Amino acid sequence: MTRRYLQMDVFADRPGAGNPLAVIPDAEGLDDDAMQAIARWTRLPETTFVFAPTRPGASYRVRMFSPRREVPFAGHPSIGTAHVVLEAGLAAPVDGLLWQEGAAGVLPLAVDGEGPQRTISVRTPRASVVEVADADDPRLAQLLAGLAAGGPDAAVLPPALVDGGRRWWLAELADERTLRGADPDWDAIEALAHATGSMGLCAFARAEAGNGDYDLVVRAFVGATARFEDAASGAANATLAAWLAHNDALPGAGGRYVVSQGREVGYDARLQLRVDGDGEVWSGGRICNVLSGRIDWR
């Protein structure tokens, strides 16, 4: 049996700029082993599989797999899957919202506009602060010293471990140039991830004036399960947005701002973050179709 198979770039306005995703929109009949095998075969950060919903009010059900394991929630797979659901006519927004059923529950996705200019944002799970640390914390000191975090004239937030479905250490660097030129200690990142049950380190800096169409620069260094720098992470950025809101330190205006991520690893993504009046975080952006075909998986 052949099934539809689509690939796209999420948080992108052109091919190659965003975070790649594979989606199989008609996954009925695939078991856990088959889905994991397909995700391993695609070698993409995540592959998603769409099913009919089982919970009241849900527009569709999704399961997400990295090449190594099933993922309970991630931002760019949620947004890309919603895009495919709309393109395939599997569901339509009601009052501007789709409702995605998954391991993290039934989450709303806001749909704004149509066609290539359309943006989709997922309301991410509520984040909680696990701990706030000092820069000289022995678990962090070597890593942050290597990244040149902070500075004598920089008013930066302290490092924090925040859980937003996935745990991330968040650390603000002194400026955009420092962050973009940072060369992380991967041994220290992996040790930190395993010692604290986290994904790794999400480092961020305020954008330099006149540098582009964004307010914040983010680099997400993953140390758990594999070592890599994420091209564009909706979940990590949502966790960061919650931390910034907690400290009344959001950039941009009206609870909205734009993130630049991925340039250092060959991408150039733009993520749109919003913290609404209820303190909920919405993470989203545009989606660019790249490949459409069929997969023959027996």
Side-chain angles (χ1 to χ4, degrees):
M1 177 181 179
T2 64
R3 304 168 189 270
R4 285 176 292 175
Y5 176 88
L6 302 104
Q7 279 188 211
M8 65 222 64
D9 277 354
V10 182
F11 309 125
D13 61 356
R14 64 192 186 279
N19 207 347
L21 173 73
V23 180
I24 295 181
D26 43 2
E28 300 290 348
L30 290 173
D31 61 19
D32 291 8
D33 290 342
M35 287 186 281
Q36 184 63 76
I38 292 170
R40 185 168 57 248
W41 173 79
T42 69
R43 298 188 180 182
L44 296 177
E46 275 95 13
T47 301
T48 67
F49 302 85
V50 181
F51 299 87
T54 62
R55 298 178 64 174
S59 306
Y60 58 93
R61 182 167 66 96
V62 65
R63 294 181 67 181
M64 308 175 183
F65 288 79
S66 76
R68 294 171 177 261
R69 60 186 176 86
E70 186 167 7
V71 176
F73 171 78
H76 100 274
S78 297
I79 293 159
T81 301
H83 170 78
V84 168
V85 166
L86 291 172
E87 296 272 297
L90 299 178
V94 176
D95 296 328
L97 296 176
L98 289 173
W99 293 86
Q100 175 180 279
E101 176 187 348
V106 179
L107 299 174
L109 293 104
V111 181
D112 296 303
E114 296 180 356
Q117 302 300 316
R118 180 174 60 204
T119 62
I120 301 174
S121 302
V122 60
R123 192 188 73 192
T124 59
R126 277 269 185 176
S128 59
V129 178
V130 179
E131 67 170 296
V132 179
D134 296 321
D136 59 359
D137 185 300
R139 298 168 299 175
L140 299 165
Q142 176 184 345
L143 174 56
L144 295 182
L147 292 176
D153 301 319
V156 300
L157 297 175
L161 178 61
V162 182
D163 192 330
R166 289 177 167 182
R167 288 187 174 190
W168 282 95
W169 277 99
L170 309 174
E172 185 172 5
L173 302 199
D175 52 52
E176 178 177 350
R177 183 177 301 179
T178 298
L179 177 56
R180 291 205 183 275
D183 185 13
D185 181 334
W186 284 102
D187 288 339
I189 289 172
E190 183 175 12
L192 177 67
H194 287 295
T196 58
S198 67
M199 295 293 296
L201 177 71
C202 178
F204 65 100
R206 310 282 165 164
E208 295 178 8
N211 264 18
D213 58 343
Y214 51 87
D215 305 292
L216 206 68
V217 180
V218 167
R219 296 183 68 182
F221 305 113
V222 179
T225 70
R227 297 179 175 188
F228 69 96
E229 181 171 346
D230 203 322
S233 174
N237 273 284
T239 301
L240 172 57
W243 173 238
L244 293 171
H246 176 78
N247 289 278
D248 196 24
L250 287 168
R256 297 175 180 267
Y257 65 94
V258 177
V259 168
S260 167
Q261 187 178 356
R263 188 181 297 176
E264 294 72 26
V265 286
Y267 301 86
D268 193 18
R270 294 293 183 273
L271 298 89
Q272 300 178 20
L273 278 296
R274 174 169 65 94
V275 181
D276 66 22
D278 296 322
E280 301 286 358
V281 176
W282 298 77
S283 176
R286 290 165 62 181
I287 304 95
C288 179
N289 295 324
V290 177
L291 184 154
S292 176
R294 303 191 70 83
I295 185 171
D296 185 2
W297 201 269
R298 302 170 190 272

